[in-house]
Amino acid sequence: MQSQMLMDARSYEQEAGKKITPEQRPAFHLVSRCGWMNDPNGFSYADGAYQMYYQYYPYASHWGPMHWGHAKSQDLLHWEYLPCALAPDMQYDKDGCFSGSAATLPDGRVLLMYTGEEKRGQAEFQQQCVAVGDGVDFEKYAGNPVIDRTKLPADASTHHFRDPKILLKKDFAGGDGYYMVAVNQTGDKNGQVLLFSSEDGFQWKFETVLIRGDGRFGQMWECPDFFSLDGKEVFLTSPQDMLPEGYEYHCGDGTLCMVGTLDHETMHFTEEHNQAIDYGIDFYAPQTVQTPDGRRVMIGWMQNWDACSIRDEDAPWAGQMSLPRELFMKDGRLCQRPLQEYEALLEERVSYENEVFAGGAMRELEGVSGRVLDLSLEISPVDEADLYRRFEIRFACDGKHYTALSYEPDEGILRIDRSFSGSRRAILHQQCCQVNGDRRNVQLRLVLDRYSVEVFVNGGDQVMTTAFYTDLSAEGIQMGAFGGAGARADVLACEYTG
Ligand code: FRU
């Protein structure tokens, strides 16, 4: 039996979703069917398709009592909306069905695990709940919440305890059944990851604190993921209230990846390396899935809590998912490249070799324009001894608006700036990263899709993601080099033919 609240959401989204034309949405990035979307949830492969659930408030373009939206796809680029999967219709989740994950049970049923948010007077409780179903309709388990505050270790907040990510035991220590990682806050205001285990997905037992923050990474962590990749264990999370550290971590809400090893006996994780997952303005709460052919693919929410007001109140949809990115390790770092299925849909439009830019003149290259474009550049100085100061690419340009990506080879600083994108808010519009390795010769690849840019630096060694909501009529792309003897670039522009 579906609740009235869920049925209302389902009929509302059907009508509201129809009013949004495909042209108003990105070409291949998933956005909410209508209303508001935040984190990816339950990203999985089931029933012969990729399943993506998401944090969802169908009724407005701002956050509200969280539902779970649902879409599926064969290739992670073409999405079909399915009916809203969960509504906050129980006492234990009355203030929201927060983020979580999915698993297919041995009998073929789909299990969703999520955080029930329940306010009681001034107090706020977050507790883990499950729902089972056929992949479209789900029934909340009568024994919910399956993990409440009584199962928490000492020094664990009962309020900040959320975002369960189910893992298969066979991917770690071996054996049947499940692990689950959830994030929590310690008494001294650090994020920590709690590890639970279960034989059947319904009865859960606390195992250990898998990773504990030590003051370096914000005050609370959100949306954990944990998996093996190329012989290492990788932990992903999105810390809140970060202090900046050089150009690696920005202040505010950010992303963190720890690479290390896991002792399967003690389930103790040893950190060997840490880095940001994405260095741009808008990337948060990513989840990964393993494809049937063994690739580890990540999708994040292409927005930042600190800058949500960039989207107008009357926008038909708010919140986009990132491009699906294949993860790989290189020299101990987590790297990302666009999904193979996306690459297969690209066709070369135009290319230029050794194009020289100098004197600060911004110019267009014939054939290089548009809001859906895959643009690669290899940039080097014309004269090492007379180094250019800045190379700049402006896109989504009309006479008045543009968003700019600029590179300063001296310090290796890559900057994204959407101040002139048409935003009317005094919010975060710029973000920087420092390019690793060779600063003189840099490769930049911009994946543009109407309202976003994802910049893959040096083959995916670093990625910078930013959303912008400039009117779609702004299609120009310009490039130029400032200072010194200028820069030369090989430029390749490819069309998305999907
Ligand atoms: C992260 C987050 C999660 C929470 C959800 C609520 O973006 O804050 O921790 O479950 O969003 O919508």
Side-chain angles (χ1 to χ4, degrees), residues 232-248:
K232 291 285 174 197
E233 256 78 41
V234 177
F235 167 62
L236 308 181
T237 190
S238 298
Q240 296 180 303
D241 305 309
M242 292 272 276
L243 287 172
E245 205 181 291
Y247 289 102
E248 189 63 31

Side-chain angles (χ1 to χ4, degrees), residues 315-332:
W317 54 263
Q320 319 181 56
M321 292 301 173
S322 73
L323 185 71
R325 306 170 184 178
E326 291 177 14
L327 301 181
F328 62 101
M329 301 293 303
K330 196 169 164 233
D331 303 329

Side-chain angles (χ1 to χ4, degrees), residues 38-39 55 63 66 98-99 162-163 222-223 284-285 301 305:
N38 56 288
D39 317 347
Q55 288 286 279
W63 193 89
M66 281 290 107
F98 281 14
S99 282
R162 55 184 177 266
D163 308 341
E222 300 194 298
C223 301
Y284 199 73
W301 177 41
W305 284 117

